[in-house]
Structures are given as C-alpha cells and as structure tokens.
Amino acid sequence: MTVDLVLVLLVLLGAVVSFATGFLRVDITALLVLAVVAVLGLAPADRALAGFASPAVLAIGGMYVLSAGLSRTGVADLVGVHILRWAGTGESRLMLAIVLFSGVLSGFMNNVGVAAMMLPVTVKLAREADLAPSKLLIPMALGAQLGGFTTLIGTSTNLVASDALQDAGFAPFELLGFLPVGGPLLAAGALFLLVAAPRLLPHRVPEGRGPQRPAIRENVELEERFFRLIVPRRSLLDGKTLEESLIGSALGVHVLQVERGTERILAPGPGTLIRGGDRLLVQGRPDFFMELRGRRHLAMDQRGVRPEWLEREGAGLVQLSVAPDSPLVGRSVAELDLQARHGVLVLSLLREDFRRRTHLQDTVIQGGDLLLLHGPRDRLMAFLEGSRGDAAAEDWTALPGSWEFLPAAEAIRRFQLDERLWALQVTDDSLFAGRPLGETRLGDAVGMMVLAIGREGAEGEDEAVLMPGPETVVQPGDHLLVKTRPEDMAVLRGLQRLDLEEDPDVSLDALESAGAGFVEAVVAPRSALIGKTLRQSGFRSRFGLHVVAILRDGGAIRTQLRDRKLNFGDALLLHGPRRKGRALAREPDLILLHEPDPTPPEARRAPRSIIILVAAILPVILGWLPVAVGVLAGAVGMVVTRCLTPEEAYRAVEWPVLVMVAGMLALGAALDDTGAAAFLGEGVLAATAGLGPTGVLTSLVIMAALASQIMPGPAVVVLMAPVAIAGAAQLQVSPQAMVMAVAIASTSLASPVSQPAQALVMAPAGYRLKDYLPLGIPLTLMVILLTVLITPLVFPF
C-alpha cells in the first residue's frame, strides 16, 4: 500500500464524515477535497480541475434551466385538467395518473422542479376529488424520483455515472439507456404506491372543509390566538394609521379586522385609520400587552441626555456617503443587519428629498445616501475597509464611497438628532427590568433604539454599556440613552390604555370575503426568502399579505413570526386581499397552493417551451449531438425565446450541486490514479468471494443505498463508480451494469432529510418524518431487488 493510496483513502474518509455530519456545506467539502487532491499531487492539477469542464456538470446545469423553463410556463397546469379528465375523481386512478405523469416529467426535468410544478396541481386535484392532499403528495414526490431512473438526464447521478464510464474509456450511457431498467422500476413503484399508499399514508384533512378551503389554516388552530383590543374614545391612537400605532409590531400581533359600529374592515392595510371606539380583532398572544398596560415602565431621566456616551470606550461615529456601486445599494437596513454581522449601527439616513432618523429597518439604501454609523472604532474600520472584524463576521470587501469620523456634537448637528435623543430611566416595577433587551420589544414598541445603558458600578461610579445587544439584561434604575420620536412615546402611552376582550366568538369563515381571505403558499426551491426573516425580506411590503402561521416539521408556529428565518418547504398561511394572493402566482419565491385557477405568468409560452425541450432532446436520442450540447442548447433556447429571463435562468441553477460534483470528480480521479479504486474493488471482491458478478452487484447496490442516506447521491456515484468499474474489470465483465445499479441505488427514497422533492411536500400535507418510512423503506427494498434482477438482463455479464 503506497503513501498516495493511504492519503487518498484518508481524504475519502474525511469527505464521508463531512457529508454525514454536515460539518461543512457539501460544496465547500468538495472544494476542500479538490484543493487537497491537487496540493498533495494525488491527481494531476489539470485533471483535478477538469470537473468544471465535465460534460456531466454542464448537462446538469442545463437541465436546471430547462426544468425552470417548463415550470415557469406552466406545463404542469396545462395537463392537470387532462389528468383529472382521464382519471376522474377516484382515488386509485387519480393517484396512478399523478405518479406516472410526475415520473414521465422527471425523465426530462429535475425531480425537485417536477415536485414544485406538481405540488399545486396535486393539491387542486385532491380538493376537486374531495380527497386529502396527504394521500397524494408523497406518491407524487416518489413518482418524480422514480421517473429520474428512466433517462440519462433524469437525475444528476445518472449523468455523473455516465461521465465516469466515459472517463474510464468505456462507452457512456445513451439518453434512453436507463429506460430498460428505470421503466420497470417506475411501473412497479406506481403499482406498489397504488396498493400501499391508501393504507399507509395518514388522512389529514378536516371534515366538512369543502373543496376550496385551505387545509393549512385548519391545522394551525388560529382561534386559540384570537382576542380583541378596544380603542378608548379619546385614545392617543385616535387618527393614527395602523402602521403609526405600532400595534402589530409592538404587541407582536396581527390585526385581522377592524370593527367600527356596523362596519367591518377585513384585512386592514398599514394605512387604515384607527378611530376611538374601534374594536380590533387580532391574532397573537396577549401576554405582553397584559404586562405592558396600566404601569409606568419608563420615566424621564432627570440627569438629561448624555451624548458623550456615544464616544466612550473606543466608540465612534462615521458619516458614510454611499457610492452608486456600493453593495449596500438596493438593500434594506433590516436585510443588511449590520449590527449582527459587523457590530455597526445605522443611526440616521439623509437623502436629497428624504430624512430618516428612526424606524429605519425597512428603508432601502440608495446611491448618494448619507449614513450615520455608530460602533467601536475597530469594527467601523473593519466594515469600511473590508477586513474582518472577528471570526463571526462575514467576508466583506472595502466599501466604495467617502467617509469620515465625526465628533458626537457634530454628528448630532448634521443629522439633526438632538430632538430624537432621549434619556429614560427604567422604573423598579418595569416589565423591562430583569429581561434581555431583545425580549423587551423596546425597538418594536416605540421604534426605540437603545444606544447606551448607564448604571451605577460597584464603586458608585457610572458605568456605560455601549451598543447593548439583544442579550444585554436591563436592570431596575438603568439610565437609557435612546433614539426615538416624541410621537412614538405618545403611542406607547396609547397602547397601554387599550382595553382587552379575550376569547371572542369568531369563526374562521367570518374572516373571509369576496375581497379578502386566507391564502396558502410554500417556500419554493432556490427562493430568495430562504434564510431570511420576514422582517429582513420585507415580506408584508413586498407581497401585501401578512403571515399568520408557518407550518414546519409537522408543527405550527403562530407567534413571534417576524424574526423567524424561513426554510425551504415551509408552508405559509397568509391573510390579506385576494388580488394580492392571486399575484403570488407570478412570484418565483413562493408556490401558491390555494387560489382558484392561478394562471402562470408565462402560460402562453408553454407550447414554445415544450417545442424547445423536444428540439433539444430529439437530436440527442438520434445520436446527432452529445447530451451536454443538446441540453445546453435547449437551456439557451429557453432564454432566447423568453420562456425565462437571464436572471431567472441563472437563479434556477443549483450552483452548490454543480460545485459539489465538479469538486468530487477530482477525488474520483485520485481514486483512479493512485490505484485506490482498484484496491477497494479488490476488497469488495474479497468480501463477496464465490458469489460471482451478481453478488458483487448486490453488495455495491446495498452500499450505495446506505451511503445515500448520509451523502448526496452525486457524491456517492463519484466515489463508488470507480470502485464498481475496477471490480468489473477484475471480474472481466462489462461495467455498465455495475455503474447503472450504483447510480439508481444512490437516490434515497425513504426520507425527506436528503431529498428536497420529498421535503417540499412535508408542510402542505402536514406530514411528519415517520409518515415517510412506511412507504419509503419497502419501496427502497423493492428498487434494490429489481435493480439487481433487471440490470444483468439489460447488460449481461
């Protein structure tokens, strides 16, 4: 055993551990593997880097664009009606039609794209047939995965497997080369689901719901969070808009309805005026309001404002002139989240015709803006000059634009902050006392930014806590230097004087009308909302709808939603104007589930996208073009014919997957060059001594199926294909059967954890993790058995 062979095996072990534990992202792991392989000379540098020019990588990227074009033009919606017409409303025929159609689509599209296309169609078909969506959504996702076995471009694992054969000097798979094996697998899987799914899948749909009632809203038990706030006749809130009243943000509630005498204003907007005597039906928890009202929590500090605190202990103030090409431009203050990322606060913003000194969170920065920044001088310099403030800060390049440090007095004068700085003191019985600053809701309650906290030290001298964070605990008697508006202080007093009515008798039907109601949507694959909070994404202002609940992992989240990060596959229950709900059909970041007949924005181009797909695939089938060339030509055709914009095409590509495959191909090259693949192949042969090619094939399939539970499928194929080829060479049999079987077994069918197509349907149907296993485990065993039986018949040993 050579040193290089040992090193390659150690790199292989490290990659497997990283994939299994999630210590690093899959693409970062792959790039690290590539770097180690090239630096240690385990493969020539040009071969280690060749993965980025691999036909498999290029074809995978092109397939993402083709899939997005078909999805964007609403191909699934066009055929949904035909499915229902053929299948009728019977559960068995409808399930069979959905599984087979998803499978056929998945042969020429990415399976996640198929699941995203078919999700709203399946939900609609289930409701029209008066069936629970939970009976059809897992079969639809599994059908999409099974269909990926039918063609070379059905999954990225198939393309990687074919590329491995070609690199080893063997003939690659043809476009329909997987069909003799994958076709029977799809057919057998569909029959299995037809028999088992109705018995094993949960029935999660409320009785009497009707065909057009959203299912999500019935699962979140909204009525448990209803109460009314009653505005007194001479309230300080009288004449203010809902946005100005801060009721929603301050109390952490959502105003569903304003009741004014006999008038009912459903789904009121931020500009709706509040009048004395109004009764506000809200959804949320009344706990914070009950603590807030009736007591004096903050008093005026007799010592007055002390602006010198802004410069104590190494802190400073900077005026930044934002350049037009600055990375800050086009992003809101909340989205930038500079305090968490860089330890810097934005205190004020000046523009030619605009001045904002408070409530900056939703303000979008433009070129030419003047920003007043506050923070420790070293953190300010790190932010402005592009170095890292500490290990927790993100990488940041030097900011274009001019900047200068200002004395506190000059900064206050230039940005007119003198009327926005207040000195307040925490009372002994304040609800804020003893709580971390992040839990006090001071910022939400009155748009208040706490810049510094002064408190008496151990020796009786004042100590200043500069730029207190959300974890800083407020103590009784603390002196607060805050930035807020006088009118917001009046709002705080107005909020404290509202009256409360608990347990109102309100049905969900009363919250719907012809103009407003509930809408369901799911966070789409590659959505720009993933990883952002509702506040950071400006969800309410962008979509005009309020999120009243999030369904995730089988549970409902109904409170403190503004600061929760959204995940892929989250199901959102929205409330607002119906015209805004219908507009979601044009949003690529969300998949609209419940709205009568949502029309895709580019539906008129659906025939065009189908023609492009056929034109791209047919020359490949006839052998006139390589797969990568045909697929890339089709991807370009989608953009040229405006089925997709260039931005949508770039966004459709799962770049981490491409990077992962390209990086792991370097390890595959190292396994081959160092003899590690042959060494592992000999190990497999030794472990299956006497069992012949079929025994080796069975062992490889089982190993690939197990590995796919902890590793991405393409990575499994990259690592195991060289071993399969080496084993076949030692047995002196054709490697096609071994490699194809490994590719098929590398697709996990038993869990949504490693399969986005299955994760996408989890929240809309209310599935739990345990719901996937009764179908996934036997289906996986069936696929393994049939693969072992059929593959040698197609590629005889």
Side-chain angles (χ1 to χ4, degrees):
M1 184 179 292
T2 66
V3 174
D4 283 353
L5 191 150
V6 173
L7 290 175
V8 167
L9 293 179
L10 289 175
V11 173
L12 171 61
L13 178 62
V16 172
V17 171
S18 181
F19 284 134
T21 61
F23 177 72
L24 293 174
R25 282 179 21 171
V26 293
D27 52 336
I28 302 302
T29 297
L31 287 176
L32 181 60
V33 165
L34 185 154
V36 172
V37 166
V39 169
L40 296 181
L42 301 177
D46 56 346
R47 194 169 180 206
L49 296 171
F52 288 98
S54 164
V57 172
L58 298 175
I60 292 169
M63 280 309 304
Y64 282 123
V65 178
L66 276 177
S67 298
L70 294 171
S71 177
R72 189 69 172 148
T73 54
V75 171
D77 294 285
L78 289 178
V79 298
V81 174
H82 299 290
I83 291 178
L84 187 61
R85 185 178 301 162
W86 175 81
T89 57
E91 180 177 358
S92 297
R93 291 187 63 178
L94 188 59
M95 179 182 297
L96 184 62
I98 289 172
V99 170
L100 291 178
F101 178 66
S102 299
V104 171
L105 275 181
S106 189
F108 302 95
M109 290 180 61
N110 171 264
N111 58 36
V112 181
V114 172
M117 287 174 59
M118 289 297 295
L119 176 57
V121 174
T122 303
V123 170
K124 179 180 178 182
L125 292 174
R127 285 173 176 152
E128 292 186 359
D130 199 23
L131 296 172
S134 61
K135 290 291 187 179
L136 298 177
L137 286 178
I138 282 182
M140 179 272 290
L142 289 173
Q145 290 184 264
L146 291 169
F149 300 151
T150 59
T151 69
L152 176 60
I153 59 176
T155 67
S156 55
T157 57
N158 296 355
L159 288 163
V160 173
S162 181
D163 197 55
L165 280 173
Q166 190 169 20
D167 284 348
F170 296 96
F173 295 120
E174 296 180 352
L175 181 65
L176 300 179
F178 279 77
L179 186 59
V181 178
L185 290 179
L186 174 60
L191 292 175
F192 168 76
L193 293 173
L194 187 64
V195 174
R199 296 169 174 80
L200 298 178
L201 286 178
H203 182 91
R204 292 204 177 102
V205 59
E207 295 182 3
R209 185 173 44 86
Q212 294 299 327
R213 178 85 57 85
I216 293 176
R217 80 174 206 186
E218 303 290 352
N219 292 328
V220 299
E221 299 176 341
L222 284 179
E223 296 95 328
E224 294 183 2
R225 293 289 184 264
F226 286 171
F227 62 97
R228 279 194 179 93
L229 295 174
I230 302 172
V231 183
R233 290 293 178 186
R234 288 185 292 276
S235 171
L236 293 170
L237 303 181
D238 191 349
K240 293 188 178 297
T241 65
L242 275 178
E243 183 177 30
E244 293 169 341
S245 74
L246 302 177
I247 287 176
S249 59
L251 304 181
V253 300
H254 166 48
V255 181
L256 297 166
Q257 181 174 271
V258 176
E259 301 164 1
R260 183 175 300 153
T262 58
E263 183 183 4
R264 187 177 64 128
I265 305 173
L266 191 60
T272 301
L273 286 176
I274 296 175
R275 296 299 185 191
D278 281 353
R279 297 159 61 85
L280 312 180
L281 179 67
V282 302
Q283 177 254 330
R285 296 177 66 94
D287 310 36
F288 184 80
F289 169 70
M290 295 176 70
E291 291 185 88
L292 179 68
R293 66 175 181 171
R295 284 189 290 166
R296 191 183 186 197
H297 304 284
L298 298 172
M300 298 301 298
D301 191 344
Q302 299 303 315
R303 300 192 306 179
V305 174
R306 304 179 68 176
E308 65 272 14
W309 281 359
L310 297 175
E311 297 180 285
R312 288 182 62 175
E313 300 182 15
L317 295 154
V318 166
Q319 174 183 288
L320 170 65
S321 177
V322 180
D325 59 341
S326 171
L328 306 179
V329 172
R331 303 170 70 182
S332 69
V333 174
E335 182 182 358
L336 289 168
D337 199 10
L338 296 183
Q339 183 175 11
R341 295 176 178 174
H342 300 281
V344 173
L345 284 174
V346 181
L347 296 189
S348 186
L349 181 149
L350 294 181
R351 194 175 293 161
E352 289 184 359
D353 56 347
F354 181 81
R355 179 176 63 189
R356 179 75 74 179
R357 294 167 291 178
T358 57
H359 301 281
L360 289 162
Q361 294 92 339
D362 297 327
T363 304
V364 177
I365 295 173
Q366 300 179 8
D369 286 349
L370 291 179
L371 303 181
L372 180 61
L373 308 177
H374 177 235
R377 285 179 174 264
D378 59 337
R379 300 301 296 269
L380 286 168
M381 293 296 294
F383 171 65
L384 295 167
E385 295 185 343
S387 59
R388 289 178 71 119
D390 58 30
E394 63 177 18
D395 288 322
W396 193 261
T397 57
L399 288 178
S402 60
W403 53 271
E404 61 175 318
F405 279 95
L406 298 177
E410 178 63 15
I412 291 172
R413 185 190 67 79
R414 286 193 191 182
F415 288 85
Q416 301 177 15
L417 287 176
D418 50 331
E419 59 190 50
R420 292 291 185 265
L421 294 179
W422 291 66
L424 303 175
Q425 188 170 16
V426 180
T427 60
D428 291 339
D429 63 344
S430 171
L431 79 89
F432 306 132
R435 292 186 174 184
L437 196 58
E439 294 180 9
T440 63
R441 306 186 66 87
L442 281 173
D444 289 332
V446 288
M448 182 186 297
M449 179 181 288
V450 181
L451 303 178
I453 299 176
R455 59 179 54 136
E456 186 174 327
E459 299 180 1
E461 298 181 359
D462 280 350
E463 296 179 353
V465 181
L466 300 179
M467 291 185 60
E471 72 286 348
T472 303
V473 178
V474 179
Q475 300 178 7
D478 275 354
H479 303 274
L480 309 181
L481 175 62
V482 304
K483 180 168 66 72
T484 189
R485 300 182 304 179
E487 54 266 42
D488 289 336
M489 297 296 292
V491 164
L492 177 59
R493 295 195 298 274
L495 291 174
Q496 290 182 281
R497 296 169 185 171
L498 293 173
D499 294 321
L500 175 68
E501 178 187 326
E502 296 188 82
D503 301 322
D505 184 15
V506 178
S507 69
L508 291 177
D509 288 335
L511 299 177
E512 297 203 70
S513 67
F518 293 98
V519 179
E520 297 175 4
V522 175
V523 179
R526 300 176 296 277
S527 171
L529 301 174
I530 296 173
K532 293 182 180 179
T533 66
L534 296 177
R535 186 202 301 258
Q536 289 171 339
S537 64
F539 194 97
R540 177 68 183 270
S541 59
R542 176 181 171 184
F543 299 111
L545 298 163
H546 196 99
V547 179
V548 296
I550 300 174
L551 261 66
R552 178 186 298 166
D553 298 331
I557 305 170
R558 296 168 295 184
T559 57
Q560 299 180 351
L561 298 177
R562 297 178 67 201
D563 296 313
R564 291 189 183 272
K565 291 185 177 180
L566 294 176
N567 298 335
F568 161 68
D570 281 350
L572 310 180
L573 180 61
L574 312 171
H575 188 255
R578 294 202 182 277
R579 58 184 176 81
K580 296 291 186 181
R582 286 188 288 270
L584 292 184
R586 297 189 295 272
E587 288 291 342
D589 290 325
L590 295 170
I591 300 171
L592 182 62
L593 292 184
H594 174 70
E595 188 63 36
D597 301 320
T599 303
E602 304 298 337
R604 66 185 185 281
R605 297 192 173 104
R608 192 180 308 174
S609 68
I610 295 174
I611 292 172
I612 291 171
L613 176 67
V614 173
I617 298 303
L618 188 58
V620 176
I621 296 176
L622 297 176
W624 298 346
L625 290 176
V627 173
V629 175
V631 169
L632 287 175
V636 173
M638 288 290 185
V639 176
V640 171
T641 59
R642 298 183 181 179
C643 294
L644 286 174
T645 65
E647 292 76 17
E648 289 171 337
Y650 278 111
R651 185 173 164 187
V653 177
E654 287 277 9
W655 297 105
V657 173
L658 266 63
V659 171
M660 178 197 67
V661 173
M664 292 305 294
L665 286 174
L667 182 54
L671 287 170
D672 187 35
D673 288 357
T674 61
F679 173 78
L680 294 173
E682 291 174 358
V684 173
L685 289 177
T688 57
L691 298 180
T694 302
V696 174
L697 178 66
T698 303
S699 300
L700 290 171
V701 168
I702 293 174
M703 290 169 59
L706 293 175
S708 69
Q709 304 306 311
I710 59 173
M711 294 173 58
V716 174
V717 175
V718 168
L719 298 180
M720 292 197 61
V723 178
I725 293 171
Q730 294 178 38
L731 289 171
Q732 297 183 345
V733 298
S734 172
Q736 274 83 0
M738 304 283 189
V739 174
M740 179 175 289
V742 165
I744 290 173
S746 297
T747 298
S748 173
L749 299 170
S751 168
V753 175
S754 59
Q755 284 297 327
Q758 294 195 47
L760 185 64
V761 303
M762 189 173 189
Y767 292 131
R768 299 175 178 84
L769 187 60
K770 64 179 182 181
D771 296 330
Y772 290 83
L773 302 180
L775 285 179
I777 292 176
L779 185 61
T780 298
L781 295 175
M782 185 188 75
V783 167
I784 290 175
L785 177 61
L786 291 178
T787 300
V788 171
L789 293 176
I790 298 174
T791 308
L793 299 178
V794 179
F795 302 99
F797 292 132

